[in-house]
Every structure is written in structure tokens, then in C-alpha cells.
Amino acid sequence: MKNSIPYDQAQFPWYFPSFGEYTTLMEKAGFRVIAALHFDRPTKLEGESGLRNWLDMFGQFMFQNLDDDTITRIMNNVEQNLKSNLWVQGEWVADYKRIRVKGLKE
């Protein structure tokens, strides 16, 4: 529990495997991995509220059962904690990463 908010894994369904973990999962599923690529994909989030808008769109399930004041406090903390890394030349830039793996079913 952080900030008096209980943690519930069900509210955080995202899964971010490592490069090795992803290719291993493919091999366990019967694929022979023939190519793999890991690359950065920075993505601009429009406007000063870009980060909040992203959280509203993709993370709304994280804020279920929270009052508006708590959500605002969380959003402010997120922006404050990420601004030095993700606020670039007057706009928010999401630090997306991509893993592309090509395999042949054996």
C-alpha cells in the first residue's frame, strides 16, 4: 500500500517482457525465432495535458474507486516525477519501447 491506496494487481494488467523473456516464450510455444529487434519509439503526447490524457485513456482502470481529489494528487505526482525525463521541448514524449520478434512455427 502506498499513499494509503491499496495495491491491486488486477488494476495493472500491463505486461512488459524483456527481450530474452519474449523470445523464450515464443520458443516454448513451438516457434523458432529467426529475427528479433528491440528499439525505442518515442511518441509525442499532445499538449500540456498530454500525459494526463494518456493516463485517462489507457490507465482509467487504475483509478477506479478513487475520488477526484486523490486522482488529481496522483496525476500531479506522476507529472512531477516524470517531467525531467519525459517533458521535451515543451511537450510530453512517451518513452515507448518496441520488441518485434519473427518466428517460424515448427
Side-chain angles (χ1 to χ4, degrees):
M1 184 182 310
K2 188 168 180 152
N3 296 317
S4 300
I5 300 169
Y7 177 76
D8 179 0
Q9 177 62 41
Q11 289 180 277
F12 301 90
W14 293 317
Y15 172 61
F16 303 106
S18 69
F19 198 69
E21 185 178 7
Y22 199 99
T23 55
T24 298
L25 288 170
M26 287 190 62
E27 289 171 345
K28 285 181 181 178
F31 288 88
R32 180 170 51 96
V33 176
I34 60 172
L37 179 65
H38 180 229
F39 58 96
D40 294 334
R41 187 182 167 272
T43 303
K44 292 179 183 177
L45 305 176
E46 292 192 28
E48 278 190 52
S49 298
L51 184 58
R52 287 176 189 251
N53 294 339
W54 187 93
L55 286 168
D56 283 338
M57 182 179 297
F58 296 108
Q60 57 187 267
F61 47 86
M62 294 185 296
F63 304 111
Q64 292 173 353
N65 305 317
L66 299 178
D67 61 77
D68 289 341
D69 289 340
T70 301
I71 293 170
T72 298
R73 181 172 44 85
I74 290 169
M75 294 282 199
N76 289 339
N77 286 339
V78 168
E79 285 181 333
Q80 182 180 8
N81 288 328
L82 295 178
K83 195 159 195 170
S84 65
N85 293 324
L86 300 183
W87 182 255
V88 180
Q89 298 177 348
E91 60 190 349
W92 290 103
V93 179
D95 58 345
Y96 287 141
K97 310 288 184 196
R98 294 285 181 168
I99 296 175
R100 288 196 180 149
V101 181
K102 183 176 181 179
L104 298 174
K105 187 71 171 169
E106 296 199 322

